[in-house]
Amino acid sequence: DVQLVESGGGSVQPGGSLRLSCAASGFTFSMSCMAWFRQAPGKERERVAHIHRFGITNYADAVKGRFTISGDNAKNTLYLQMNSLKPEDTAMYYCAADPRPRASCSSGLWSYWGQGTQVTVS
């Protein structure tokens, strides 16, 4: 069965850094689109970043220049390096996957989701 397990969340002061990890299993990680989403209470879910199987990345405007998404195919693990954190980055962060070997992740169908890891910046 498919599993996505996030880790690395926590509490940090503004300007600090965190690295989130997502351990994937049950599907072909290297052939998939992978993404990080976040959601704060009372707000809509937001796609933070995604990465194509060929390594092409895309970021939400709010995190450009501060966050970096990457993947390690050998470990079936997705990462989100978060620098210069702001209070508005506070949210539950979710790992998601589209297992289809597509040419683009822009229209991704995010079929698989992790349970989330909390990030609090204060």
Side-chain angles (χ1 to χ4, degrees):
D1 57 337
V2 172
Q3 291 190 58
L4 297 173
V5 182
E6 301 97 334
S7 62
S11 297
V12 65
Q13 294 181 333
S17 297
L18 288 171
R19 189 179 75 159
L20 307 183
S21 298
C22 172
S25 61
F27 66 99
T28 306
F29 178 87
S30 63
M31 297 290 287
S32 303
C33 290
M34 301 294 298
W36 288 98
F37 289 78
R38 67 185 182 186
Q39 188 167 24
K43 296 185 178 180
E44 294 186 349
R45 186 182 64 198
E46 174 188 27
R47 190 174 70 214
V48 175
H50 69 246
I51 184 167
H52 187 260
R53 61 190 177 101
F54 294 147
I56 299 170
T57 59
N58 186 271
Y59 298 90
D61 288 343
V63 307
K64 286 181 179 177
R66 300 189 297 121
F67 291 9
T68 302
I69 188 172
S70 62
D72 186 333
N73 288 337
K75 296 182 178 180
N76 284 355
T77 301
L78 183 73
Y79 301 99
L80 185 68
Q81 179 65 47
M82 308 164 66
N83 298 327
S84 301
L85 283 162
K86 303 175 180 179
E88 51 263 45
D89 296 318
T90 296
M92 185 73 75
Y93 283 72
Y94 299 92
C95 174
D98 180 345
R100 300 176 301 164
R102 296 177 293 125
S104 172
C105 298
S106 297
S107 60
L109 298 175
W110 306 105
S111 301
Y112 304 148
W113 293 83
Q115 292 297 113
T117 185
Q118 179 67 39
V119 172
T120 301
V121 185
S122 63

